Amino acid sequence: MVAVNPQCTSQKCNVCGHSAKEYRKTQAEFQCVSCGHMDHADSNATKNIRDLALAL
């Protein structure tokens, strides 16, 4: 198990890495204004947390 800081992981696009507060259209919807990637917000955040852990 690896501990990572989950701060802002729900505001960062897992595809292109761009980050902005307006990506969270609703509590459940994530849409990147840079690349257009759409995902469930929790799923997108989970992928970002996974990537942070793997980078350690």
Side-chain angles (χ1 to χ4, degrees):
M1 182 187 309
V2 178
V4 298
N5 183 353
Q7 185 175 2
C8 299
T9 55
S10 65
Q11 298 173 1
K12 179 182 175 186
C13 178
N14 183 254
V15 174
C16 74
H18 195 261
S19 186
K21 289 181 181 180
E22 64 268 11
Y23 286 171
R24 292 293 296 266
K25 299 297 182 187
T26 67
Q27 187 65 22
E29 293 179 44
F30 176 90
Q31 183 174 6
C32 180
V33 296
S34 181
C35 74
H37 171 68
M38 294 177 70
D39 201 349
H40 187 279
D42 291 340
S43 178
N44 182 72
T46 299
K47 292 171 189 171
N48 286 325
I49 292 168
R50 176 204 61 206
D51 293 347
L52 286 171
L54 292 173
L56 294 177

